[in-house]
Amino acid sequence: MPLAREGIEPRGSGPVPGLPPPRTVRQVAAADRLVPRAGGAPLDRLAELAARLLGAVAAQVSLLTDVDVVAGASGSKAGPAGATVSLDESLAMVVATSEGPLVAPDARADPRVCDLPPVSSGHVRAYLGVPLTGDDGTTVGALSVIDLVPRRWSGSEVAILQELAASVVTELEL
């Protein structure tokens, strides 16, 4: 059953200061269409590849419907596939509303994400997330990697994650 239906607005009726803007019906429908219905093994493999190539402890594919849905994951610090989190607690939502990749060498010191539960709880220290963009240009989620210690993400690491994000979108579209 889809997580969002056409014509139903996501939570909230308008922008709330300090919180990410609500998703539009078009954005929710675009992401919901891509949520894997029969397991996420290919997405798990792409998340594993991201973590391995970047030397991160975990990687996650998140789709943004009316909630953040984990569509693929690797590592014990990533959410399990199928898990959901509200958009106002979602690192992927911050990626989706950014102008590009979200690079946080020390997430606890980054005002964009420091108050989010994954960061404040200590599960995320260093974070790198890139948007997943559908065929129509709509950002439907994020591919991200995390580490438990501060680290600088190099330009080549950002580029690798962006290339893998394109593969994730291709897999989702299949």
Side-chain angles (χ1 to χ4, degrees):
M1 179 163 127
L3 295 173
R5 291 182 294 286
E6 192 66 34
I8 297 178
E9 287 294 327
R11 272 183 231 161
S13 58
V16 176
L19 293 179
R23 306 283 288 163
T24 66
V25 171
R26 178 174 163 244
Q27 290 169 317
V28 170
D32 185 55
R33 178 180 60 80
L34 298 174
V35 174
R37 304 291 188 238
L43 298 178
D44 289 343
R45 286 193 297 273
L46 286 166
E48 172 64 28
L49 184 59
R52 190 173 298 180
L53 286 172
L54 275 65
V57 298
Q60 185 168 297
V61 175
S62 296
L63 296 176
L64 301 168
T65 64
D66 54 343
V67 293
D68 176 338
V69 179
V70 177
S74 172
S76 62
K77 295 299 181 182
T84 62
V85 66
S86 69
L87 295 178
D88 60 343
E89 296 180 352
S90 166
L91 286 160
M93 185 65 184
V94 178
V95 172
T97 58
S98 296
E99 294 293 316
L102 174 61
V103 181
D106 185 351
R108 290 194 294 186
D110 190 317
R112 300 170 295 178
V113 297
C114 65
D115 293 328
L116 296 177
V119 176
S120 63
S121 69
H123 285 96
V124 173
R125 186 68 187 266
Y127 180 86
L128 172 60
V130 297
L132 299 174
T133 305
D135 288 341
D136 64 355
T138 302
T139 299
V140 296
L143 172 62
S144 59
V145 290
I146 65 165
D147 221 327
L148 301 177
V149 295
R151 68 178 277 182
R152 296 216 179 272
W153 302 102
S154 70
S156 64
E157 289 172 318
V158 174
I160 288 168
L161 199 61
Q162 288 173 315
E163 289 294 322
L164 288 170
S167 295
V168 167
V169 171
T170 299
E171 183 63 38
L172 288 166
E173 290 287 350
L174 292 176

